[in-house]
Structures are given as structure tokens and as C-alpha cells.
């Protein structure tokens, strides 16, 4: 390898770091397009015109700001801290994913790309991408694992109704990991005309930073709303973590506030000892270890030979073997805590929120609720907790029925 080639690779690997995590580990054919995307993102966020246009779309299309709802009956039932719910389930298409897809679709149009592609697990990112593409007149293709398509038929229908081509992925476990791989292959072949709307704070630089930036609106709103309602910052924030985009967006406005505890909740599946889970950060012995997956250096569930381990969760959106590099860094420097919740605990939390607050949370969000059910009763009544409801649970009704028949 020539010296300039080595320097190019070394420079690419150092870009977009969160502590020792992050970077860019991709084929040389993608280095140029990723540099172009990073520059386009930097230019867009500096452009007052782009920021005004994004704000208008978030207000008029997405329906922001989403409410911060005081969960009165939950607070009374748990007998501990005052609990608030940040209602991303009320955003257009039913999840926080739409914040990022509108931002990236606007960026794609600004870059002159007429086609967007995406991967999806629970289907919410796919639906959000399809909706943003339709509204902005872009062609859209969504990659989705066959297993996830069977778990989320409603969202598959919604994507097709919105004009997207949904491509089933039949390799490996046929879930989100394989869908990401197929989307990256498509992008490498069609990068001149196509923008890859990556759905979480994952992948090579600049995706983790860019997706986090488009999700910062959750944290900015939550901070302003809790100050207006309580006159002070919350003591605890709780959000589920698959790749980690909703948590990264919420945490972003509070990372500098050391008095605010940040908790990410992963999918404990059938329990750590079963080996059937997606607990990367919360488990020291049976969790993830540093490695590279899908173009970024982060914490990955892998065996001693570096082979990626299969995962399991009742929530398709949490069923992924790696985590966003910013979360790996937040844990490494002790700024955020990470816990896990089993499938059974998440299902019980789903029932609790339905019957206590009249809200059907996504199964992903139910993991955050389940952690709150365990933690809030141990807190002072004067404490304030914000739980991020990342999405709504209509899509999960069939999964819930199947889980209860099993």
C-alpha cells in the first residue's frame, strides 16, 4: 500500500470520533461520498435558510413540538418521583424517526440526489423515510429483513402505500443487521444518484453525528418543557436504546448537566444467561466488546473470533448487535448508565401504560417504561423523571397477540 493511501485510510478512521469510538471503516469507494455528505451536513446546519426550512417541515409536516405529558396516574401508582412522558408517539407516522428522515430527505434534495434508500427493523424508520420521500418527491427503496416483515406487516403495508419499494432481506437472521448490510451495498453501487437515509446513530462518520443532530429537537423541547412545568431540570431521563437515536436526541440537551442522570435501556430478551438478547452495554460479562460493525468502531455483541452474535428481542427496533458509538463513549466515561429489560418485563410495562395512562407505547418504548416502573418507586416524591416514548404501539398488536399465545 502506498504511503498516501495509508494516510487517507488513517485520516478517514479518525473522522467523527466519540472518545475512542466512532470513525469511518468503509471501502475506499465510499470515502469520497462520505466526505461529500459530511461537508453537505456541515454547510446545511450553518445555513440559516436550511434551518428555517427544516423548522417549517418539523412544525407543519411532523407536528412538532410534541407534548411533555405529566403521567398523573403512573406517578400515583408508583408512589415515587413525578413522571413525565415525552410524546414522540404523537409525531407524524408515529415515532421519533420522522425527525431524522425529514432532515436527511431535505439534505438529499439539497445535494441533488433524486433517490433515497433506507433500512428498517420495526418498520417505523421505513415508514418515516417513505413519508418524507413522498412529500419531497423522491424515489424510495426500503430494505427489511424477512423476519421483521413477518413481525411488522402493518408497517410494510404503510411503506408500500406511501410509494416505497420494500425489498425483503433473506440472509442471516433476516433482521435489522442484514438489512443494514444490504442498504450499504445498494448505496455503494448507486452513490452518485442515491442518498442512504441511515436510521440511527450508527454507521460511518458523519451518520452518528448527523442523525443525532436531527434528533436534538427532542432534547431541546423536553428541556424547555420541563423547565416550564417544574421550574427546574429533571433528575432522571430514561430512553430505550437499539441503535440509540431517540436516546441520543433526548440526552443531547442534558449531557453537560451533571445533576441529570441519563439512562439507556437495552433489550434483555429472554435474559442474559439465555444468550438470546441484545444487551451490548448493560452486561459486563455477557454483553458487547469493542469492535467494528457497519463502518464504525463501537461496542458489538461478538464471539471470541470476532463473529457477530445473533440477537433476540420482542421489539424489532432493539434487535441489533451493536450500539451507536456516542453511547459507547458515554458509558466509557461514566456519563450515562445502561440497563436492560426482558421481553416479559416490557410486555408487562406495555399493559401498565395502556391501562394506567390510555397510551399504547411501541414495544421499544415499553422497555424504557419498564425500567421506570422498577426505578421510580425508589426515588423521592420531589424528584422528576422524563421517559421518552419513542413511538406508538399500533404496529405491535399482532406481535403482542403472538407473544401471549406462545
Amino acid at each position: 500500500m502506498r504511503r498516501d493511501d495509508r494516510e487517507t485510510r488513517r485520516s478517514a478512521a479518525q473522522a467523527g470520533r466519540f472518545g475512542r469510538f466512532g470513525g469511518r471503516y468503509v471501502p475506499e469507494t465510499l470515502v469520497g461520498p462520505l466526505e461529500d455528505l459530511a461537508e453537505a451536513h456541515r454547510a446545511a446546519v450553518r445555513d440559516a435558510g436550511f434551518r428555517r426550512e427544516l423548522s417549517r417541515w418539523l412544525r407543519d409536516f411532523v407536528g412538532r413540538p410534541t407534548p411533555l405529558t405529566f403521567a398523573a396516574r403512573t406517578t400515583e401508582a408508583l408512589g415515587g418521583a413525578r413522571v413525565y412522558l415525552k410524546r414522540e408517539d404523537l409525531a407524524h407516522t408515529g415515532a421519533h424517526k420522522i425527525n431524522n428522515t425529514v432532515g436527511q430527505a431535505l439534505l438529499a434534495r439539497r445535494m441533488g440526489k433524486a433517490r433515497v434508500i433506507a433500512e428498517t427493523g420495526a418498520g417505523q424508520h421505513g415508514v418515516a423515510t417513505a413519508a418524507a420521500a413522498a412529500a419531497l418527491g423522491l424515489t424510495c427503496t426500503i430494505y427489511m429483513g424477512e423476519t421483521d416483515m413477518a413481525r411488522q406487516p402493518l408497517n410494510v403495508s404503510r411503506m408500500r402505500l406511501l410509494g416505497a419499494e420494500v425489498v425483503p432481506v433473506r440472509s442471516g437472521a433476516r433482521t435489522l443487521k442484514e438489512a443494514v448490510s444490504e442498504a450499504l451495498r445498494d448505496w455503494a453501487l448507486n452513490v452518485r444518484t442515491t442518498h442512504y437515509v441511515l436510521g440511527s446513530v450508527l454507521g460511518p462518520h458523519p451518520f452518528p453525528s448527523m442523525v443525532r443532530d436531527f434528533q436534538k429537537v427532542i432534547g431541546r423541547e423536553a428541556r424547555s418543557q420541563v423547565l416550564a412545568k417544574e421550574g427546574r431540570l429533571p433528575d432522571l431521563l430514561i430512553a430505550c436504546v437499539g441503535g440509540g437515536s431517540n436516546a441520543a436526541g433526548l440526552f443531547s440537551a442534558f449531557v453537560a448537566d451533571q445533576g441529570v442522570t441519563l439512562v439507556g435501556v437495552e433489550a434483555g430478551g429472554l435474559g442474559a444467561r439465555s444468550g438470546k438478547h441484545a444487551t451490548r452495554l448493560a452486561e459486563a460479562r455477557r454483553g458487547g466488546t469493542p469492535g467494528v460493525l457497519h463502518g464504525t468502531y463501537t461496542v458489538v455483541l461478538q464471539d471470541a473470533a470476532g463473529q457477530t452474535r445473533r440477537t433476540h428481542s420482542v421489539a424489532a427496533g432493539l434487535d441489533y448487535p451493536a450500539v451507536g458509538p456516542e453511547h459507547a463513549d458515554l458509558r466509557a466515561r461514566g456519563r450515562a448508565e445502561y440497563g436492560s429489560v426482558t421481553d416479559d418485563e416490557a410486555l408487562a410495562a406495555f399493559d401498565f401504560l395502556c391501562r394506567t395512562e390510555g397510551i399504547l407505547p411501541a414495544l421499544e418504548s415499553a422497555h424504557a417504561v419498564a425500567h421506570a416502573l422498577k426505578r421510580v418507586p425508589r426515588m423521592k416524591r420531589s424528584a422528576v423523571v422524563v421517559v421518552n416514548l419513542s413511538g406508538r404501539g399500533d404496529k405491535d398488536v399482532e406481535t403482542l397477540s403472538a407473544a401471549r399465545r406462545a
Side-chain angles (χ1 to χ4, degrees), residues 207-244:
F207 284 111
S209 302
M210 185 171 65
V211 176
R212 188 256 341 261
D213 288 351
F214 286 133
Q215 295 292 3
K216 279 183 174 180
V217 65
I218 304 172
R220 286 198 300 268
E221 286 180 9
R223 185 184 180 94
S224 172
Q225 290 165 327
V226 76
L227 283 171
K229 290 175 182 290
E230 291 285 340
R232 67 181 183 87
L233 295 178
D235 300 279
L236 173 64
L237 303 179
I238 305 174
C240 65
V241 175

Side-chain angles (χ1 to χ4, degrees), residues 78-98:
L78 299 184
R82 294 167 61 78
V83 179
Y84 285 87
L85 305 172
K86 180 58 175 164
R87 302 293 306 279
E88 293 301 293
D89 57 312
L90 295 181
H92 178 47
T93 70
H96 74 291
K97 295 292 187 182
I98 191 72

Side-chain angles (χ1 to χ4, degrees), residues 5-16 23-24 31 35:
D5 290 339
R6 289 197 299 271
E7 289 177 350
T8 297
R9 288 193 173 190
R10 189 179 304 116
S11 174
Q14 291 305 315
R24 182 186 293 157
V31 171
E35 288 284 0

Side-chain angles (χ1 to χ4, degrees), residues 17 80 157 172 174-175 200 241 243 249 258 310 324 362 379 383 388 396:
R17 290 281 173 176
S157 297
R174 298 174 295 168
T175 57
S200 194
V241 175
Q258 295 297 324
R310 291 197 173 188
M379 299 176 71
N388 199 38
D396 295 316

Side-chain angles (χ1 to χ4, degrees), residues 78-162:
L78 299 184
R82 294 167 61 78
V83 179
Y84 285 87
L85 305 172
K86 180 58 175 164
R87 302 293 306 279
E88 293 301 293
D89 57 312
L90 295 181
H92 178 47
T93 70
H96 74 291
K97 295 292 187 182
I98 191 72
N99 307 319
N100 170 52
T101 61
V102 164
Q104 289 204 47
L106 287 170
L107 196 59
R109 191 176 68 174
R110 180 184 170 102
M111 296 174 70
K113 305 290 180 73
R115 176 177 181 255
V116 294
I117 61 172
E119 86 302 325
T120 193
Q124 292 298 80
H125 175 59
V127 171
T129 303
L136 287 163
L138 304 172
T139 303
C140 181
T141 300
I142 306 292
Y143 290 93
M144 189 171 190
E146 266 196 340
T147 299
D148 290 336
M149 290 179 72
R151 288 196 284 189
Q152 301 290 344
L154 175 62
N155 276 342
V156 173
S157 297
R158 293 171 74 199
M159 284 184 267
R160 288 173 172 155
L161 287 169
L162 290 163

